[in-house]
Amino acid sequence: MSTNSVFKSDVNDTSKLINEFLSSNDYFTPEESEKIQKAWKLLVDKARDKTRLSGEPYYLHPLRVAQILASNRLDADTIIAAILHTMHELNVSAEQINESFGQDVYSIILTTNKILNLPINTKRLHQSDAIRKMFFAMCDDVRIILITLADRLDRIRNLKNFDHEYQKIIAESVIDIWAPLADRMGMQNEKNEFEDLSLKYLNPAVFKQIKDIVAQKQDERAQYLTDASDEIKKRALKAGLNIEIQSRAKHFYSIYQKMRKRNKEAGELYDLLALRILCDTPTECYTLIGIVHGIWKPLDGRFKDYIAMPKANGYQSLHTTVMCRDKPLEIQIRTHQMHDMAEHGIASHW
C-alpha cells in the first residue's frame, strides 16, 4: 500500500486528513472524537514543518498507524496513543500528555517507545524468540504490542523510497520479529502482509517470479474457483446450510516456503489456490467437511482439525486439500466468529 493510497485527502491539508480518518472510522463517541482531534492538533502543531527521510510530512506515519488500528476498531485511547507515539522526538513533556489525555495513554506511549527503539540485530532463531519474550515481559497492556505491530507494518508498507541497505534491515527485522509476533497474537492478515513485503525486499527476484506466476491465467483460475464454489453451495443448500465462500490465491511467502520445501519453481506448484467456507456453528463445519470430501477425494495427510485442537494463538479452522479437476485445492472451513479471530486475533476482542 503506497503512502497516497491510505487517505484520499491532500496530505498537506491536516484538517481534511483527520476529518477523513474520523468519517471512515465512525465508531467513536463525540467525546472520543474530540480527544482524537485534540491529539492530532498537538502532533500537527509540533511537527507541521517536519518531514521524514522519504520527504513526506512527519505526521502522516502516526495517522496511518492509527488507521491500521482503527480498522480493527480499537478503542480511543489506543488511537490517541498511536497518533502521539512518536512524541518523544518532538519535545512534548510527560506532564502535557498526562494532563491532556491521562496516565493510561502516557504509559502506552512510554512503553511503545522503549520497544520501538530497542536495537534489534538477530542472526539466530533463538535470539528472535528471546526478543519477542522480552517484549511481552515489558508490556502490561496488549495495546502496546498492537501499536508496535501497526508501526512496523506501516514502515514496511512505505519502504520503497529508502536505500536498499535500510530496506534490508527493516525487512529482516520484520521476518524475524514482527511477523512471528503478529502470528503469536493471532493476527493472520498482518502476519501475511509482513511476510509478503519482507520477501519483496529480501528476495525481489523470487517475489517478482511468484507475482508473475500468480497473475498468469487469472481468468482461468477465477473460473476454476467459481465452479468449485458453486458445487459446494449447491450441496450445502440441499443440506439446509447457509454459507459464505471466499476464494483466494495463496499469499506469496507461503508459496515461497512451498518452493523451498519441495525444491520446485513457482510454476511447478499447483496448489496456489484456496477456498474458505464460512458458516454459523462448529457442528456445521464438520457437516461441510463431509460434503467437501463427498464431492472430491481428499489428499492423504492433508486434513487438520484446528477446531478440536486449536493452535496456541487461538486459531480455529478445519483444513483439507482435495483433488478438484486434477488439481490440488486447499479448503478452510470455519465459523464467522472463528474467522474474525483468525483475521484479527487479539485485536478482535477490543
Side-chain angles (χ1 to χ4, degrees):
M1 184 180 291
S2 70
T3 300
N4 294 327
S5 66
V6 179
F7 302 108
K8 296 176 183 176
S9 303
D10 180 350
V11 296
N12 295 307
D13 192 328
T14 57
S15 295
K16 284 186 178 177
L17 279 171
I18 194 62
N19 287 337
E20 181 184 341
F21 172 83
L22 291 169
S23 63
S24 63
N25 302 292
D26 58 0
Y27 63 92
F28 301 109
T29 66
E31 293 77 17
E32 288 171 339
S33 293
E34 191 176 327
K35 283 184 73 175
I36 291 168
Q37 285 177 309
K38 185 178 180 181
W40 176 246
K41 185 178 184 304
L42 175 60
L43 172 64
V44 169
D45 286 348
K46 292 289 183 179
R48 186 176 294 277
D49 300 320
K50 193 174 172 69
T51 58
R52 304 273 175 184
L53 290 174
S54 63
E56 71 175 22
Y58 181 92
Y59 50 72
L60 261 187
H61 165 68
L63 191 62
R64 290 196 304 256
V65 171
Q67 179 61 36
I68 292 169
L69 297 162
S71 68
N72 285 305
R73 298 182 71 83
L74 284 156
D75 64 290
D77 277 357
T78 309
I79 302 305
I80 291 166
I83 289 172
L84 300 177
H85 81 278
T86 59
M87 293 308 280
H88 67 289
E89 299 174 3
L90 302 173
N91 298 319
V92 178
S93 68
E95 291 76 20
Q96 191 172 358
I97 293 176
N98 262 320
E99 186 178 325
S100 299
F101 307 104
Q103 176 64 37
D104 200 25
V105 168
Y106 174 69
S107 296
I108 293 172
I109 292 171
L110 187 66
T111 310
T112 298
N113 273 298
K114 286 179 182 176
I115 291 174
L116 290 175
N117 287 291
L118 282 171
I120 296 174
N121 184 18
T122 62
K123 296 297 179 189
R124 296 178 185 169
L125 192 63
H126 72 87
Q127 289 177 316
S128 303
D129 191 47
I131 290 170
R132 289 193 296 273
K133 286 177 180 175
M134 180 176 66
F135 288 170
F136 277 105
M138 291 173 67
C139 296
D140 57 1
D141 190 324
V142 71
R143 293 174 293 180
I144 296 164
I145 294 289
L146 297 177
I147 294 173
T148 59
L149 284 170
D151 176 276
R152 290 310 174 207
L153 183 56
D154 182 69
R155 287 185 189 277
I156 197 164
R157 280 177 175 176
N158 294 277
L159 265 186
K160 68 177 182 180
N161 294 323
F162 293 90
D163 64 72
H164 175 68
E165 194 56 37
Y166 182 76
Q167 290 174 345
K168 190 167 177 286
I169 290 169
I170 294 295
E172 283 176 346
S173 71
V174 161
I175 206 68
D176 289 342
I177 303 295
W178 305 105
L181 191 57
D183 188 44
R184 171 85 178 268
M185 304 296 282
M187 301 170 74
Q188 196 68 32
N189 278 351
E190 287 80 359
K191 168 189 171 283
N192 291 348
E193 190 174 356
F194 272 136
E195 290 177 340
D196 283 355
L197 291 173
S198 293
L199 181 63
K200 179 180 178 180
Y201 291 106
L202 292 175
N203 202 333
V206 169
F207 181 88
K208 185 179 185 307
Q209 181 194 11
I210 294 171
K211 186 178 180 180
D212 291 343
I213 292 293
V214 170
Q216 286 175 8
K217 301 181 182 177
Q218 275 189 325
D219 292 342
E220 181 184 318
R221 285 178 174 155
Q223 190 60 53
Y224 169 81
L225 291 174
T226 298
D227 292 345
S229 298
D230 289 346
E231 185 63 33
I232 296 169
K233 285 176 182 175
K234 186 170 71 175
R235 301 288 184 99
L237 189 61
K238 280 186 182 178
L241 298 178
N242 179 32
I243 64 170
E244 176 189 341
I245 300 182
Q246 301 172 344
S247 59
R248 63 191 177 91
K250 298 282 189 66
H251 75 286
F252 291 1
Y253 192 78
S254 71
I255 295 172
Y256 172 63
Q257 287 179 308
K258 287 179 187 293
M259 289 168 61
R260 294 175 66 191
K261 185 177 179 181
R262 302 178 193 174
N263 196 25
K264 291 181 180 289
E265 293 293 311
E268 298 177 87
L269 297 173
Y270 291 100
D271 50 344
L272 304 182
L273 305 172
L275 289 178
R276 181 180 295 127
I277 308 173
L278 304 181
C279 57
D280 295 327
T281 67
T283 301
E284 290 180 357
C285 292
Y286 290 104
T287 302
L288 283 162
I289 201 73
I291 289 172
V292 167
H293 287 172
I295 303 171
W296 302 292
K297 182 182 178 181
L299 296 185
D300 288 342
R302 298 292 292 272
F303 172 68
K304 293 183 174 63
D305 186 347
Y306 294 119
I307 294 179
M309 299 182 67
K311 290 186 179 181
N313 61 15
Y315 175 87
Q316 288 185 290
S317 192
L318 299 179
H319 289 196
T320 189
T321 303
V322 298
M323 286 303 294
C324 173
R325 294 188 187 172
D326 299 321
K327 293 178 183 177
L329 174 62
E330 183 183 290
I331 298 176
Q332 299 173 348
I333 303 172
R334 62 179 73 143
T335 67
H336 291 279
Q337 185 178 8
M338 290 173 191
H339 181 59
D340 189 39
M341 183 64 183
E343 294 294 288
H344 306 293
I346 194 71
S348 66
H349 292 302
W350 290 89

